[in-house]
Amino acid sequence: MTSLLVLFLYATAFFGTYFIASRFLQSYFQRKGFNKLKTVTFGDESAVTANRIASIISIVTVFWLWIAFTNSALPLPKLPGPFQGEIEFTYTVTLNDGTSDDATVTILVYPEDIQQTVGAQGIPNRAPDAPSRGLGEGFAKNDTTTVARYGFKVIDVWSNDEVAKADGSAVTAINGQPISPGQKMQIPEGEIGLTNKGTPTFAPYTGLRMARLYLPAPEIVWQRFVTLIADGYQGFTLWEHTYYSLYRVIFGFLLGAIVGIPIGYAMGLTNWSRGWFDPIVEFMRPVPPLALIPLIIIWFGIDETGKIVLLFLAALWIMIIAARSGVSGVAISKVHAAYSLGASKWQILSRVIVPNSLPEIFTGARVAMGVCWGTVVAAELVAAEVGLGKMIVAASKFQLTDIVIVGIILIGIIGFLIDVGMRALEKWLVPWKGRI
């Protein structure tokens, strides 16, 4: 249900902002330069460029959705939040002889991420005190307790009653409505029910926002980021975690490219190489790098070599296929034209095949780099002591979701910057892409 709501809100924001922007900012949606002279542009990739206003709105929309589904303090619209405050309900206790009595349960629902306070003896108090209420008259006494938002409470109402559950005392109604063991009823503040043994329970209304354990607010993640910069995590600074992950990914990718591109060229140029490597490549290509971790540990141990080899294999098959596809995609008319002008095989390779296959290779390199970044977490599972993947995995064991999100954001930003750099490098080295 939450996923559908996120999809609906995102789609609404996309189409709504597109309509507004295209209506009031038409100049930004008009083609500029040579492309504006084209009469047919639909389906022509060279005529499509990223609209930066749309990019900014997209980022803002994702950030707003992050805020909307959390208990953020930032002053932006949010979805309905969890209940917080006091709630009372009345329960009816009936004895074996049919005698009944009513009592009231008062519950204080407090924020689950409440700041810890220190008592007089230096002992941290995680939750506020229960509300103070009188016991009331009769054999059923009033009860008070506390529960955190997104929490669940089993309430032993017999703890202060004059009769015990073992004597035949049973809860038969909540707020005047009959109820049996195992049943539940909804109230505006949450859900009240009875366990299978007849003990009252209460779960506060959670709304559509997520608890901090599952999705901390942006300001919480930012505070954690600042703390990680200052103090690090598990004996290493945040920059050291980042450096080691970046080093492993780049080194593993470069090894995969250095080995994979020549093999791909060989497969695209000679029948023997195609027949020799094709079964191996097609067999290994669908195998996820995660499945290779046990063999990597057995063969290469748990030191740095194993991690590099795993990332090397993650990039190798992609680079082989990219190079092979680049060679296969060269127009045969260009090769024939070069031969008719007296070009040798080496000139055909260096002047025709390599330049025309570079765009495909760069596309494969971008894909391979993305796969390597996705594999770095698994690679650093192999007994690593430092790295963003190690930081994420270690934090997840202690349910430190904010550290996990910091690591994910850093991996995403670095991966994006690497992709932008590779695009710029491609534009510099392959200026003829899309023109020949």
Side-chain angles (χ1 to χ4, degrees), residues 37 60 97 157 165 169-170 197 219 248 250 287 302 308 322 385 389 414 436:
L37 302 177
V60 171
D97 59 4
V157 295
K165 189 176 182 181
S169 174
K197 295 185 178 180
E219 62 268 26
R248 291 162 182 157
I250 292 179
V287 178
I302 59 176
I308 299 298
E385 295 182 355
I414 295 173
I436 60 175

mmCIF file with all atom_site columns, all heavy atoms in Angstrom, residues 37 60 97 157 165 169-170 197 219 248 250 287 302 308 322 385 389 414 436:
data_model
loop_
_atom_site.group_PDB
_atom_site.id
_atom_site.type_symbol
_atom_site.label_atom_id
_atom_site.label_alt_id
_atom_site.label_comp_id
_atom_site.label_asym_id
_atom_site.label_entity_id
_atom_site.label_seq_id
_atom_site.pdbx_PDB_ins_code
_atom_site.Cartn_x
_atom_site.Cartn_y
_atom_site.Cartn_z
_atom_site.occupancy
_atom_site.B_iso_or_equiv
_atom_site.pdbx_formal_charge
_atom_site.auth_seq_id
_atom_site.auth_comp_id
_atom_site.auth_asym_id
_atom_site.auth_atom_id
_atom_site.pdbx_PDB_model_num
ATOM 1   N N   . LEU A 1 37  ? 16.566  22.928  -35.930 1.00 0.00 ? 37  LEU A N   1
ATOM 2   C CA  . LEU A 1 37  ? 16.309  22.969  -37.356 1.00 0.00 ? 37  LEU A CA  1
ATOM 3   C C   . LEU A 1 37  ? 15.779  21.640  -37.888 1.00 0.00 ? 37  LEU A C   1
ATOM 4   O O   . LEU A 1 37  ? 15.343  21.568  -39.027 1.00 0.00 ? 37  LEU A O   1
ATOM 5   C CB  . LEU A 1 37  ? 17.600  23.333  -38.105 1.00 0.00 ? 37  LEU A CB  1
ATOM 6   C CG  . LEU A 1 37  ? 18.237  24.677  -37.705 1.00 0.00 ? 37  LEU A CG  1
ATOM 7   C CD1 . LEU A 1 37  ? 19.541  24.881  -38.471 1.00 0.00 ? 37  LEU A CD1 1
ATOM 8   C CD2 . LEU A 1 37  ? 17.281  25.834  -37.956 1.00 0.00 ? 37  LEU A CD2 1
ATOM 9   N N   . VAL A 1 60  ? 14.090  17.516  -6.037  1.00 0.00 ? 60  VAL A N   1
ATOM 10  C CA  . VAL A 1 60  ? 13.265  18.124  -4.986  1.00 0.00 ? 60  VAL A CA  1
ATOM 11  C C   . VAL A 1 60  ? 12.087  17.225  -4.638  1.00 0.00 ? 60  VAL A C   1
ATOM 12  O O   . VAL A 1 60  ? 11.713  17.085  -3.466  1.00 0.00 ? 60  VAL A O   1
ATOM 13  C CB  . VAL A 1 60  ? 12.775  19.514  -5.432  1.00 0.00 ? 60  VAL A CB  1
ATOM 14  C CG1 . VAL A 1 60  ? 11.751  20.075  -4.453  1.00 0.00 ? 60  VAL A CG1 1
ATOM 15  C CG2 . VAL A 1 60  ? 13.953  20.481  -5.554  1.00 0.00 ? 60  VAL A CG2 1
ATOM 16  N N   . ASP A 1 97  ? -19.077 -15.396 39.053  1.00 0.00 ? 97  ASP A N   1
ATOM 17  C CA  . ASP A 1 97  ? -20.453 -15.290 39.517  1.00 0.00 ? 97  ASP A CA  1
ATOM 18  C C   . ASP A 1 97  ? -21.251 -14.244 38.746  1.00 0.00 ? 97  ASP A C   1
ATOM 19  O O   . ASP A 1 97  ? -22.386 -13.925 39.108  1.00 0.00 ? 97  ASP A O   1
ATOM 20  C CB  . ASP A 1 97  ? -20.473 -14.960 41.018  1.00 0.00 ? 97  ASP A CB  1
ATOM 21  C CG  . ASP A 1 97  ? -19.747 -13.655 41.331  1.00 0.00 ? 97  ASP A CG  1
ATOM 22  O OD1 . ASP A 1 97  ? -19.297 -12.964 40.380  1.00 0.00 ? 97  ASP A OD1 1
ATOM 23  O OD2 . ASP A 1 97  ? -19.625 -13.317 42.521  1.00 0.00 ? 97  ASP A OD2 1
ATOM 24  N N   . VAL A 1 157 ? -3.723  -5.817  33.319  1.00 0.00 ? 157 VAL A N   1
ATOM 25  C CA  . VAL A 1 157 ? -4.655  -5.020  34.125  1.00 0.00 ? 157 VAL A CA  1
ATOM 26  C C   . VAL A 1 157 ? -4.904  -5.653  35.496  1.00 0.00 ? 157 VAL A C   1
ATOM 27  O O   . VAL A 1 157 ? -5.451  -4.997  36.391  1.00 0.00 ? 157 VAL A O   1
ATOM 28  C CB  . VAL A 1 157 ? -5.993  -4.837  33.371  1.00 0.00 ? 157 VAL A CB  1
ATOM 29  C CG1 . VAL A 1 157 ? -5.788  -4.027  32.104  1.00 0.00 ? 157 VAL A CG1 1
ATOM 30  C CG2 . VAL A 1 157 ? -6.619  -6.196  33.033  1.00 0.00 ? 157 VAL A CG2 1
ATOM 31  N N   . LYS A 1 165 ? -6.436  -13.080 37.713  1.00 0.00 ? 165 LYS A N   1
ATOM 32  C CA  . LYS A 1 165 ? -6.911  -13.768 36.512  1.00 0.00 ? 165 LYS A CA  1
ATOM 33  C C   . LYS A 1 165 ? -7.127  -15.248 36.788  1.00 0.00 ? 165 LYS A C   1
ATOM 34  O O   . LYS A 1 165 ? -8.053  -15.868 36.252  1.00 0.00 ? 165 LYS A O   1
ATOM 35  C CB  . LYS A 1 165 ? -5.891  -13.570 35.389  1.00 0.00 ? 165 LYS A CB  1
ATOM 36  C CG  . LYS A 1 165 ? -6.343  -14.042 34.031  1.00 0.00 ? 165 LYS A CG  1
ATOM 37  C CD  . LYS A 1 165 ? -5.305  -13.708 32.978  1.00 0.00 ? 165 LYS A CD  1
ATOM 38  C CE  . LYS A 1 165 ? -5.767  -14.132 31.593  1.00 0.00 ? 165 LYS A CE  1
ATOM 39  N NZ  . LYS A 1 165 ? -4.738  -13.814 30.566  1.00 0.00 ? 165 LYS A NZ  1
ATOM 40  N N   . SER A 1 169 ? -11.285 -14.078 36.827  1.00 0.00 ? 169 SER A N   1
ATOM 41  C CA  . SER A 1 169 ? -11.524 -12.729 36.331  1.00 0.00 ? 169 SER A CA  1
ATOM 42  C C   . SER A 1 169 ? -11.175 -12.656 34.851  1.00 0.00 ? 169 SER A C   1
ATOM 43  O O   . SER A 1 169 ? -10.112 -13.125 34.429  1.00 0.00 ? 169 SER A O   1
ATOM 44  C CB  . SER A 1 169 ? -10.684 -11.714 37.120  1.00 0.00 ? 169 SER A CB  1
ATOM 45  O OG  . SER A 1 169 ? -10.791 -10.439 36.564  1.00 0.00 ? 169 SER A OG  1
ATOM 46  N N   . ALA A 1 170 ? -12.045 -12.062 34.055  1.00 0.00 ? 170 ALA A N   1
ATOM 47  C CA  . ALA A 1 170 ? -11.828 -11.987 32.601  1.00 0.00 ? 170 ALA A CA  1
ATOM 48  C C   . ALA A 1 170 ? -12.306 -10.649 32.081  1.00 0.00 ? 170 ALA A C   1
ATOM 49  O O   . ALA A 1 170 ? -13.315 -10.100 32.548  1.00 0.00 ? 170 ALA A O   1
ATOM 50  C CB  . ALA A 1 170 ? -12.554 -13.121 31.883  1.00 0.00 ? 170 ALA A CB  1
ATOM 51  N N   . LYS A 1 197 ? -5.143  -15.298 25.343  1.00 0.00 ? 197 LYS A N   1
ATOM 52  C CA  . LYS A 1 197 ? -5.404  -15.628 26.739  1.00 0.00 ? 197 LYS A CA  1
ATOM 53  C C   . LYS A 1 197 ? -6.188  -14.535 27.454  1.00 0.00 ? 197 LYS A C   1
ATOM 54  O O   . LYS A 1 197 ? -6.365  -14.595 28.672  1.00 0.00 ? 197 LYS A O   1
ATOM 55  C CB  . LYS A 1 197 ? -4.092  -15.892 27.463  1.00 0.00 ? 197 LYS A CB  1
ATOM 56  C CG  . LYS A 1 197 ? -3.369  -17.128 26.942  1.00 0.00 ? 197 LYS A CG  1
ATOM 57  C CD  . LYS A 1 197 ? -2.122  -17.429 27.763  1.00 0.00 ? 197 LYS A CD  1
ATOM 58  C CE  . LYS A 1 197 ? -1.435  -18.698 27.270  1.00 0.00 ? 197 LYS A CE  1
ATOM 59  N NZ  . LYS A 1 197 ? -0.218  -19.007 28.073  1.00 0.00 ? 197 LYS A NZ  1
ATOM 60  N N   . GLU A 1 219 ? 17.190  15.395  8.384   1.00 0.00 ? 219 GLU A N   1
ATOM 61  C CA  . GLU A 1 219 ? 18.067  16.094  9.324   1.00 0.00 ? 219 GLU A CA  1
ATOM 62  C C   . GLU A 1 219 ? 18.808  15.118  10.243  1.00 0.00 ? 219 GLU A C   1
ATOM 63  O O   . GLU A 1 219 ? 19.935  15.380  10.673  1.00 0.00 ? 219 GLU A O   1
ATOM 64  C CB  . GLU A 1 219 ? 17.277  17.109  10.155  1.00 0.00 ? 219 GLU A CB  1
ATOM 65  C CG  . GLU A 1 219 ? 16.193  16.517  11.026  1.00 0.00 ? 219 GLU A CG  1
ATOM 66  C CD  . GLU A 1 219 ? 14.838  16.477  10.352  1.00 0.00 ? 219 GLU A CD  1
ATOM 67  O OE1 . GLU A 1 219 ? 14.809  16.432  9.108   1.00 0.00 ? 219 GLU A OE1 1
ATOM 68  O OE2 . GLU A 1 219 ? 13.819  16.477  11.059  1.00 0.00 ? 219 GLU A OE2 1
ATOM 69  N N   . ARG A 1 248 ? 39.091  0.010   -4.473  1.00 0.00 ? 248 ARG A N   1
ATOM 70  C CA  . ARG A 1 248 ? 38.757  -1.360  -4.880  1.00 0.00 ? 248 ARG A CA  1
ATOM 71  C C   . ARG A 1 248 ? 37.942  -1.377  -6.162  1.00 0.00 ? 248 ARG A C   1
ATOM 72  O O   . ARG A 1 248 ? 38.182  -2.187  -7.068  1.00 0.00 ? 248 ARG A O   1
ATOM 73  C CB  . ARG A 1 248 ? 37.992  -2.061  -3.765  1.00 0.00 ? 248 ARG A CB  1
ATOM 74  C CG  . ARG A 1 248 ? 38.835  -2.363  -2.534  1.00 0.00 ? 248 ARG A CG  1
ATOM 75  C CD  . ARG A 1 248 ? 37.983  -2.648  -1.324  1.00 0.00 ? 248 ARG A CD  1
ATOM 76  N NE  . ARG A 1 248 ? 38.799  -2.889  -0.126  1.00 0.00 ? 248 ARG A NE  1
ATOM 77  C CZ  . ARG A 1 248 ? 38.362  -2.742  1.111   1.00 0.00 ? 248 ARG A CZ  1
ATOM 78  N NH1 . ARG A 1 248 ? 37.110  -2.351  1.331   1.00 0.00 ? 248 ARG A NH1 1
ATOM 79  N NH2 . ARG A 1 248 ? 39.159  -2.982  2.133   1.00 0.00 ? 248 ARG A NH2 1
ATOM 80  N N   . ILE A 1 250 ? 37.663  0.998   -8.581  1.00 0.00 ? 250 ILE A N   1
ATOM 81  C CA  . ILE A 1 250 ? 38.402  1.466   -9.756  1.00 0.00 ? 250 ILE A CA  1
ATOM 82  C C   . ILE A 1 250 ? 39.445  0.430   -10.184 1.00 0.00 ? 250 ILE A C   1
ATOM 83  O O   . ILE A 1 250 ? 39.601  0.131   -11.380 1.00 0.00 ? 250 ILE A O   1
ATOM 84  C CB  . ILE A 1 250 ? 39.062  2.825   -9.460  1.00 0.00 ? 250 ILE A CB  1
ATOM 85  C CG1 . ILE A 1 250 ? 37.975  3.899   -9.296  1.00 0.00 ? 250 ILE A CG1 1
ATOM 86  C CG2 . ILE A 1 250 ? 40.028  3.214   -10.573 1.00 0.00 ? 250 ILE A CG2 1
ATOM 87  C CD1 . ILE A 1 250 ? 38.511  5.274   -8.975  1.00 0.00 ? 250 ILE A CD1 1
ATOM 88  N N   . VAL A 1 287 ? 25.813  -15.308 -14.106 1.00 0.00 ? 287 VAL A N   1
ATOM 89  C CA  . VAL A 1 287 ? 26.132  -15.671 -12.718 1.00 0.00 ? 287 VAL A CA  1
ATOM 90  C C   . VAL A 1 287 ? 26.373  -14.397 -11.915 1.00 0.00 ? 287 VAL A C   1
ATOM 91  O O   . VAL A 1 287 ? 27.288  -13.632 -12.235 1.00 0.00 ? 287 VAL A O   1
ATOM 92  C CB  . VAL A 1 287 ? 27.366  -16.573 -12.649 1.00 0.00 ? 287 VAL A CB  1
ATOM 93  C CG1 . VAL A 1 287 ? 27.716  -16.890 -11.200 1.00 0.00 ? 287 VAL A CG1 1
ATOM 94  C CG2 . VAL A 1 287 ? 27.125  -17.867 -13.434 1.00 0.00 ? 287 VAL A CG2 1
ATOM 95  N N   . ILE A 1 302 ? 40.880  -14.064 2.557   1.00 0.00 ? 302 ILE A N   1
ATOM 96  C CA  . ILE A 1 302 ? 40.017  -12.967 2.985   1.00 0.00 ? 302 ILE A CA  1
ATOM 97  C C   . ILE A 1 302 ? 40.758  -11.634 2.977   1.00 0.00 ? 302 ILE A C   1
ATOM 98  O O   . ILE A 1 302 ? 40.273  -10.656 3.559   1.00 0.00 ? 302 ILE A O   1
ATOM 99  C CB  . ILE A 1 302 ? 39.474  -13.237 4.402   1.00 0.00 ? 302 ILE A CB  1
ATOM 100 C CG1 . ILE A 1 302 ? 40.620  -13.399 5.401   1.00 0.00 ? 302 ILE A CG1 1
ATOM 101 C CG2 . ILE A 1 302 ? 38.561  -14.460 4.407   1.00 0.00 ? 302 ILE A CG2 1
ATOM 102 C CD1 . ILE A 1 302 ? 40.158  -13.567 6.829   1.00 0.00 ? 302 ILE A CD1 1
ATOM 103 N N   . ILE A 1 308 ? 39.305  -7.523  -4.778  1.00 0.00 ? 308 ILE A N   1
ATOM 104 C CA  . ILE A 1 308 ? 39.640  -7.027  -6.109  1.00 0.00 ? 308 ILE A CA  1
ATOM 105 C C   . ILE A 1 308 ? 39.222  -8.032  -7.183  1.00 0.00 ? 308 ILE A C   1
ATOM 106 O O   . ILE A 1 308 ? 38.675  -7.663  -8.235  1.00 0.00 ? 308 ILE A O   1
ATOM 107 C CB  . ILE A 1 308 ? 41.154  -6.741  -6.212  1.00 0.00 ? 308 ILE A CB  1
ATOM 108 C CG1 . ILE A 1 308 ? 41.566  -5.663  -5.202  1.00 0.00 ? 308 ILE A CG1 1
ATOM 109 C CG2 . ILE A 1 308 ? 41.518  -6.315  -7.621  1.00 0.00 ? 308 ILE A CG2 1
ATOM 110 C CD1 . ILE A 1 308 ? 40.921  -4.324  -5.408  1.00 0.00 ? 308 ILE A CD1 1
ATOM 111 N N   . ALA A 1 322 ? 30.567  -5.767  -24.294 1.00 0.00 ? 322 ALA A N   1
ATOM 112 C CA  . ALA A 1 322 ? 30.518  -4.426  -24.880 1.00 0.00 ? 322 ALA A CA  1
ATOM 113 C C   . ALA A 1 322 ? 31.483  -4.308  -26.055 1.00 0.00 ? 322 ALA A C   1
ATOM 114 O O   . ALA A 1 322 ? 31.142  -3.765  -27.113 1.00 0.00 ? 322 ALA A O   1
ATOM 115 C CB  . ALA A 1 322 ? 30.833  -3.386  -23.809 1.00 0.00 ? 322 ALA A CB  1
ATOM 116 N N   . GLU A 1 385 ? 37.692  -4.778  6.873   1.00 0.00 ? 385 GLU A N   1
ATOM 117 C CA  . GLU A 1 385 ? 37.696  -3.969  8.086   1.00 0.00 ? 385 GLU A CA  1
ATOM 118 C C   . GLU A 1 385 ? 37.348  -2.525  7.805   1.00 0.00 ? 385 GLU A C   1
ATOM 119 O O   . GLU A 1 385 ? 37.051  -1.762  8.731   1.00 0.00 ? 385 GLU A O   1
ATOM 120 C CB  . GLU A 1 385 ? 39.071  -4.043  8.764   1.00 0.00 ? 385 GLU A CB  1
ATOM 121 C CG  . GLU A 1 385 ? 39.427  -5.432  9.271   1.00 0.00 ? 385 GLU A CG  1
ATOM 122 C CD  . GLU A 1 385 ? 40.771  -5.454  9.971   1.00 0.00 ? 385 GLU A CD  1
ATOM 123 O OE1 . GLU A 1 385 ? 41.449  -4.400  9.968   1.00 0.00 ? 385 GLU A OE1 1
ATOM 124 O OE2 . GLU A 1 385 ? 41.140  -6.507  10.515  1.00 0.00 ? 385 GLU A OE2 1
ATOM 125 N N   . GLY A 1 389 ? 30.925  -0.338  2.080   1.00 0.00 ? 389 GLY A N   1
ATOM 126 C CA  . GLY A 1 389 ? 30.119  -1.550  2.211   1.00 0.00 ? 389 GLY A CA  1
ATOM 127 C C   . GLY A 1 389 ? 30.233  -2.148  3.593   1.00 0.00 ? 389 GLY A C   1
ATOM 128 O O   . GLY A 1 389 ? 29.231  -2.567  4.186   1.00 0.00 ? 389 GLY A O   1
ATOM 129 N N   . ILE A 1 414 ? 29.017  9.206   -5.460  1.00 0.00 ? 414 ILE A N   1
ATOM 130 C CA  . ILE A 1 414 ? 30.302  8.892   -6.097  1.00 0.00 ? 414 ILE A CA  1
ATOM 131 C C   . ILE A 1 414 ? 30.080  8.177   -7.428  1.00 0.00 ? 414 ILE A C   1
ATOM 132 O O   . ILE A 1 414 ? 30.746  8.474   -8.433  1.00 0.00 ? 414 ILE A O   1
ATOM 133 C CB  . ILE A 1 414 ? 31.165  8.046   -5.155  1.00 0.00 ? 414 ILE A CB  1
ATOM 134 C CG1 . ILE A 1 414 ? 31.548  8.861   -3.911  1.00 0.00 ? 414 ILE A CG1 1
ATOM 135 C CG2 . ILE A 1 414 ? 32.425  7.561   -5.862  1.00 0.00 ? 414 ILE A CG2 1
ATOM 136 C CD1 . ILE A 1 414 ? 32.256  8.067   -2.840  1.00 0.00 ? 414 ILE A CD1 1
ATOM 137 N N   . ILE A 1 436 ? 28.665  9.716   -37.213 1.00 0.00 ? 436 ILE A N   1
ATOM 138 C CA  . ILE A 1 436 ? 29.136  8.900   -38.332 1.00 0.00 ? 436 ILE A CA  1
ATOM 139 C C   . ILE A 1 436 ? 28.403  7.572   -38.322 1.00 0.00 ? 436 ILE A C   1
ATOM 140 O O   . ILE A 1 436 ? 27.802  7.188   -37.331 1.00 0.00 ? 436 ILE A O   1
ATOM 141 C CB  . ILE A 1 436 ? 30.663  8.658   -38.277 1.00 0.00 ? 436 ILE A CB  1
ATOM 142 C CG1 . ILE A 1 436 ? 31.057  7.939   -36.976 1.00 0.00 ? 436 ILE A CG1 1
ATOM 143 C CG2 . ILE A 1 436 ? 31.419  9.964   -38.418 1.00 0.00 ? 436 ILE A CG2 1
ATOM 144 C CD1 . ILE A 1 436 ? 32.510  7.564   -36.925 1.00 0.00 ? 436 ILE A CD1 1
#
